[in-house]
Amino acid sequence: MEARSSGAEWQNWSGYVRGRSRAFAQPADEDELRALVAQAPRVRAVGAGHSFTPLVPTEHLLLSLDRLTGLLGHDPQRYTATVWGGTRLYELGPMLQEVGQALPNMGDIDRQSIAGAVSTGTHGSGLGLGSLAAGVAGLRLVLADGGVLECSPAQNPEVFRAAGVSLGTLGVISQVTLQNVPSYRLEERVRVVGLSTLLPQLPSLAQENRHLDCHVFPFSGQTIVKTLNPAQEPAGKTEVNSFVENTVLRWACEVARALPVLNAPLQRLVGVLVGSSRRVGESYRIFATPREVRFNEMEYHVPAERGPECLEEVCHAIRRSGVQVFIPVEYRYVAGDGFWLSPFQGGARASIAVHQYHKQDPWPLFRVVEPVLRRYGGRPHWGKMHGLKAGELRELYPHWDDFRRVRLELDPRGKFLNAHLREVLGA
Ligand SMILES: Cc1cc2nc3c(=O)[nH]c(=O)nc-3n(C[C@H](O)[C@H](O)[C@H](O)COP(=O)(O)OP(=O)(O)OC[C@H]3O[C@@H](n4cnc5c(N)ncnc54)[C@H](O)[C@@H]3O)c2cc1C
């Protein structure tokens, strides 16, 4: 109990979302977690605080699972592993490697907790690869009354379909069972191409490569194209050029903010600074790169086949608007899954993300881009900024009412809700 303090000040990674809770706790085991949840009038769980939306703040009890981390067990035949919900992705990589397993996919950082990443539909890139939630084989939930419920495709399947992406609104995820794959190495290739050359090639590049990740600079058209594919050769030096990724990016964001007229010329320099590169390493080392430049982000997932057209229109809208933004637009593909509130429910999507430097108001950019993303049938990332409320979100999710029913059954008094969730879920 010593890690608990009263009156916890809290802020997210970008500093945009802040909150103050009457109580903060880091339970040391599941029994303590259950007692804390049962006693508190309202509870929110926090992972690494890497969401940009106000999912986490609560005036009552803020619960961190930072002391509930690590591997609980694994099945070497089925390649499944059960881990504590508080385990960070950067801990998971080496931990799984030791038992010959790896996550099938990861996003571009590894700071998140597994429970937090799963809960918002966090994803990497790959037309044939689902989000982190899609790799979940089972969940263990601590419910509002302190009881425990296990769910999987075979056990409480309705709860499972609701819980896979559930924003911490059904209970606190104490354990996650992951369907992994045998550990593998990846070859990363990076090159810079013009957007007009790239756009018609996107569908075939997505088919031909296990992962495709593009960063488009709208004012110059320069695009950093990253592909990842399985590699047989031994791992080499995996460190990325942090000077370009972080120091140059921060410098460019500062200069472009102070002197917007330099935004386009600076974007044209990207090709010179980034160039082409290649590296091979264990999958978990290749996926994640350090992100030291803070930003706020909006990301929508549009039907995969409409991705290239939507990307082109987003870039056009940014150029036409005159809004100054240096950080590139990110474009990825994600396979479909069956979780009721997953943005990827029902089929593959193209994910399009815009970022604004943390010292600039993100909303002038987001207001330009959001109507375009919505026109293409986009669903917002639950952990990234958007302007949608429950009525609009309900239209995007065929199983919205099924989720609502299960949530009401498990938490009729709304113990796991906060103001933001009441707005987006209409609860
Ligand atoms: C620099 C940066 C890079 C990013 N890159 C990507 C990316 O490549 N792909 C992508 O999809 N997203 C990305 N994101 C978004 C991020 O992955 C998600 O917002 C993710 O949910 C954050 O995980 P977290 O552990 O920080 O969770 P938090 O932000 O702390 O919480 C997220 C949600 O999970 C809930 N939660 C946390 N722990 C539990 C638990 N034990 N039980 C139940 N609910 C819980 C919280 O209540 C909240 O609703 C990025 C964010 C940043 C800041």
Side-chain angles (χ1 to χ4, degrees), residues 71 74 92-101 183 284:
L71 184 65
H74 69 103
L92 203 49
M95 197 184 282
L96 292 176
Q97 171 87 5
E98 276 197 17
V99 297
Q101 298 187 16
S183 56
Y284 65 92

Side-chain angles (χ1 to χ4, degrees), residues 10 12-14 33 43-57 62-65 84-89 106-125 131-132 140-142 166-176 213 287 289-295 297 299 301 330 332 334 344 351 355 381-384 416 418 421:
W10 181 86
N12 73 338
W13 175 83
S14 72
L33 169 63
V43 181
R44 291 297 297 149
V46 61
H50 274 52
S51 294
F52 299 92
T53 41
L55 291 167
V56 164
L62 187 63
L63 262 182
S64 157
L65 266 58
W84 284 110
T87 310
R88 299 294 178 98
L89 300 187
M106 286 173 70
D108 47 26
I109 59 158
D110 59 7
R111 302 291 101 183
Q112 307 95 319
S113 67
I114 185 67
V118 163
S119 297
T120 59
T122 291
H123 61 93
S125 182
S131 72
L132 266 85
R140 189 170 159 95
L141 293 167
V142 172
S166 55
L167 315 171
T169 61
L170 304 188
V172 178
I173 299 169
S174 63
Q175 297 176 13
V176 182
D213 193 348
F287 283 126
T289 47
R291 287 274 178 272
E292 288 162 18
V293 178
R294 308 227 160 206
F295 52 78
E297 182 173 348
E299 181 173 52
H301 312 288
E330 189 171 14
R332 294 179 274 188
V334 186
F344 314 105
S351 298
H355 318 69
H381 188 305
W382 290 107
K384 302 187 184 178
F416 294 113
N418 67 9
L421 287 159

Side-chain angles (χ1 to χ4, degrees), residues 132-149:
L132 266 85
V136 171
L139 292 168
R140 189 170 159 95
L141 293 167
V142 172
L143 302 177
D145 63 1
V148 166
L149 184 136

